[in-house]
């Protein structure tokens, strides 16, 4: 999706506001800073226990118009300033001793497009590694997929989230349908569309016009191998709905494996039945990564393997050929995800676990629960690996970044019932959720002990209130002075029950520091 310009803009997220914020907080905290961080971070790093005060703010809400909400709605927003810190691994959860939001306002666009509130909070500083980093260098990778040209067109916007300007190449074998080859002019136009967006994609016909689905998939191995150059270390089979949230993290995983040795890297299905039924293989949707040495073997045996496929599944064919012609076994990387659960996958997306790849989130593959990955993932442009990271705030609020904001009205997040003095637990205690366990929100009765465990039962609506991501877009925090998009806005939404108002929660993510000069972790 292209950047969208709001009609009118947030007043408060300005450099001025940040400076006031800093001036207020920075001095108190300087002594606790690590020396090498001090120069860059001093002005923005919050004290451990932030002293919160409400401030007045004015917000222009004309940009809400296109959503056609049923007014009045409950509305609240907060500006977030990301603070770059050294990468010390991804925490499952970060607990903040402060609220995410000030107080809700009732908004009726028909009555007024300007919201004045004296119960706003100053911008919130969140520490994340990799603020505004350049795309990772992936010149060591060649990706391959096969699909119909229609499906490939629809997935340009998704590939545009992780492929551009990485120096990675992608080969896409396309057909119009099983009966009909794709049109050459259409293929050239699509290829140009990719190139225009900084993606090095080659849109090609099947190696042989009579290739079956599985043969087309299998042949990608040779296509990628033959296209190698001196830099190529990995070839990667993907589906047209395989998504890599962070090329930086993918590269870090690959760095643990020497490409001069034969590697068959992938992930099992989350569903034990599928593993038992199909084999100990890399399931295609999660991505199958072969070192160039492994790819050489596959290429050598391709004529034989491709002519004698055991099944109609491409990923099984890759496994079969590797297991028949080498002693290499699957290296299972659980952070790569086939996503074979169905229905509501909130528990998965709210798990805080590291996710190197995703699959099965598009319409068709996720009936009724289609996700707009390109919107969910937009915030990664501000902070590369803050996507799906979790922050817990006071007032029983949990942010699963890019997916949801959840609230626990009975106190299950902290284990303290609301009531008493400022949530001191005077109200009594309730079971505290174990956030290390994945909430089993999916519909299937499947055995996930080898993959998603530990898991916990699905929570009722009375215990957990969910505000799901509705939209995300680039905006300009200060149109009068910048005229550039510098902020990622996320809109979270929950429809009100009968007789209740709908609720809109907005987060405006702004990069607080200049990109470090050595931002590209791969050099
Ligand atoms: C794609 O990558 C190859 C190999 O690095 C390079 O020769 C070619 O110019 C690139 N094409 C585009 C359109 O960037």
């Amino acid at each position: 999706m292209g950047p969208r310009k709001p009609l009118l803009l947030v007043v408060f997220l300005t450099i001025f506001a940040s400076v006031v914020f800093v001036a207020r907080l920075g001095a108190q905290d300087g002594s606790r800073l690590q020396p090498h961080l001090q120069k860059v971070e001093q002005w923005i790093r919050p004290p451990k226990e932030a002293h919160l005060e409400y401030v007045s703010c004015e917000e222009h809400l004309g940009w809400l118009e296109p959503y056609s909400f049923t007014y009045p709605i409950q509305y609240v927003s907060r500006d977030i300033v990301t603070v770059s810190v050294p990468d010390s691994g991804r925490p499952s959860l970060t607990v903040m001793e402060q609220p995410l939001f000030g107080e809700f306002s009732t908004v009726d666009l028909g009555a007024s497009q300007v919201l004045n509130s004296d119960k706003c909070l100053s911008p919130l500083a969140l520490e994340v590694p990799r603020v505004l980093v350049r795309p990772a260098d992936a010149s060591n990778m060649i990706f391959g997929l096969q699909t119909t040209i229609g499906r490939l067109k629809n997935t340009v916007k998704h590939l545009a989230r992780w492929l551009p300007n990485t120096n990675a190449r992608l080969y896409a074998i396309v057909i119009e349908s099983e009966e009909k080859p794709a049109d050459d002019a259409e293929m050239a136009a699509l290829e140009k569309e990719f190139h225009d967006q900084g993606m090095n994609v080659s849109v090609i016909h099947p190696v042989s016009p009579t290739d079956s689905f599985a043969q087309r998939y299998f042949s990608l191995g040779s296509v990628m191998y033959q296209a190698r150059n001196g830099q190529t270390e990995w070839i990667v089979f993907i589906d047209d709905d395989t998504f890599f949230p962070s090329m930086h993290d993918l590269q870090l995983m690959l760095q643990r494996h020497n490409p001069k040795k034969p590697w068959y890297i992938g992930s099992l299905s989350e569903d034990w039945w599928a593993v038992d039924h199909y084999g100990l293989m890399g399931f295609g949707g999660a991505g199958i990564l072969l070192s160039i040495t492994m790819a050489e073997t596959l290429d050598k045996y391709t004529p034989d393997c491709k002519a004698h496929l055991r099944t109609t599944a491409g990923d099984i064919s890759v496994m079969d050929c590797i297991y028949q012609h080498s002693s290499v076994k699957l290296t299972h990387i659980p952070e790569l995800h086939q996503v074979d659960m169905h229905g509501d996958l909130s528990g998965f997306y709210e798990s805080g676990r590291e996710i190197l790849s995703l699959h099965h989130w598009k319409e068709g593959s996720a009936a009724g629960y289609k996700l707009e990955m390109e919107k969910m993932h937009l915030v990664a442009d501000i902070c590369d690996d803050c996507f799906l990271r979790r922050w817990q705030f006071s007032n029983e609020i949990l942010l699963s970044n890019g997916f949801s904001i959840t609230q626990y009205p009975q106190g299950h997040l902290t284990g303290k019932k609301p009531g008493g003095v400022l949530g001191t637990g005077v109200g009594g205690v309730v079971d505290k959720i174990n956030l290390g366990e994945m909430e089993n929100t999916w519909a299937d009765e499947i055995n996930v002990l080898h993959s998603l465990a530990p898991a916990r039962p699905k929570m009722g609506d009375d215990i957990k209130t969910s505000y799901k991501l509705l939209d995300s877009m680039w905006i300009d925090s200060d149109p009068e002075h910048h005229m550039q998009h510098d902020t990622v806005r996320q809109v979270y939404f929950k429809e009100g029950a009968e007789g209740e108002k709908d609720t809109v929660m907005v987060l405006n993510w702004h990069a607080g520091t200049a990109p470090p000069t050595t931002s590209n972790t791969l050099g």
Side-chain angles (χ1 to χ4, degrees), residues 266-277 279-281 283 330 332-341 353 438 442 445-455:
S267 194
L268 302 173
S269 169
E270 293 83 359
D271 179 359
W272 182 252
W273 177 89
V275 179
D276 191 33
H277 196 76
L280 197 74
M281 66 162 180
F283 281 68
L330 175 73
H332 179 216
I333 302 289
E335 292 82 14
L336 297 166
H337 284 283
Q338 163 80 4
V339 190
D340 272 343
M341 309 80 82
R353 302 209 189 148
M438 189 182 290
W442 47 91
E445 291 286 328
I446 55 176
N447 181 353
V448 297
L449 196 59
H450 70 291
S451 57
L452 303 179

Side-chain angles (χ1 to χ4, degrees), residues 271-520:
D271 179 359
W272 182 252
W273 177 89
V275 179
D276 191 33
H277 196 76
Y278 297 117
L280 197 74
M281 66 162 180
F283 281 68
I288 299 171
L289 303 99
L290 306 186
S291 63
I292 198 67
T293 318
M294 185 81 258
E296 188 183 351
T297 305
L298 193 78
D299 179 62
K300 187 172 154 199
Y301 292 101
T302 284
D304 182 39
C305 293
K306 194 181 157 194
H308 303 104
L309 298 187
R310 182 169 62 92
T311 73
T312 54
D315 47 7
I316 295 178
S317 310
V318 172
M319 167 184 71
D320 282 352
C321 198
I322 290 174
Y323 287 175
Q324 274 161 23
H325 297 288
S326 79
S327 58
V328 176
K329 299 292 172 253
L330 175 73
T331 295
H332 179 216
I333 302 289
E335 292 82 14
L336 297 166
H337 284 283
Q338 163 80 4
V339 190
D340 272 343
M341 309 80 82
H342 299 89
D344 179 6
L345 300 188
S346 303
F348 172 73
Y349 287 104
E350 292 166 353
S351 68
R353 302 209 189 148
E354 187 177 356
I355 294 177
L356 285 179
S357 71
L358 277 168
H359 180 230
H360 278 164
W361 40 270
K362 273 188 182 176
E363 199 158 31
S365 54
Y369 293 91
K370 176 191 160 201
L371 298 173
E372 294 181 290
M373 197 57 71
E374 74 282 9
K375 291 180 183 173
M376 288 169 60
H377 187 254
L378 194 64
V379 71
D381 285 356
I382 297 284
C383 36
D384 176 75
D385 64 352
C386 65
F387 175 53
L388 298 179
R389 251 187 79 168
R390 300 189 300 185
W391 281 271
Q392 179 181 332
F393 296 90
S394 50
N395 305 334
E396 297 288 321
I397 289 223
L398 182 68
L399 167 65
S400 300
N401 192 16
F403 185 80
S404 69
I405 296 172
T406 50
Q407 207 264 338
Y408 301 81
Q410 299 184 37
H412 289 81
L413 200 53
T414 57
K416 293 173 192 162
K417 268 190 189 163
V421 182
L422 299 171
T424 46
V426 178
V429 293
V430 291
D431 286 341
K432 187 171 186 287
I433 305 165
N434 181 348
L435 288 173
E437 297 175 345
M438 189 182 290
E439 187 184 353
N440 183 339
T441 55
W442 47 91
D444 344 56
E445 291 286 328
I446 55 176
N447 181 353
V448 297
L449 196 59
H450 70 291
S451 57
L452 303 179
R456 57 189 161 90
K458 183 176 164 67
M459 310 187 85
D461 291 346
D462 54 330
I463 291 180
K464 172 185 174 187
T465 309
S466 297
Y467 305 83
K468 296 272 177 65
L469 187 84
L470 175 72
D471 204 359
S472 183
M473 73 218 73
W474 277 98
I475 60 161
D476 185 343
S477 60
D478 183 12
E480 281 164 40
H481 301 101
H482 307 194
M483 298 309 287
Q484 68 189 20
H485 296 110
D486 59 357
T487 297
V488 168
R489 168 176 286 158
Q490 295 174 323
V491 183
Y492 295 86
F493 175 75
K494 179 180 148 325
E495 199 176 331
E498 192 66 33
E500 272 178 18
K501 296 183 192 75
D502 294 348
T503 304
V504 173
M505 296 173 165
V506 172
L507 296 177
N508 298 307
W509 291 78
H510 191 81
T513 52
T517 45
T518 52
S519 61
N520 189 332

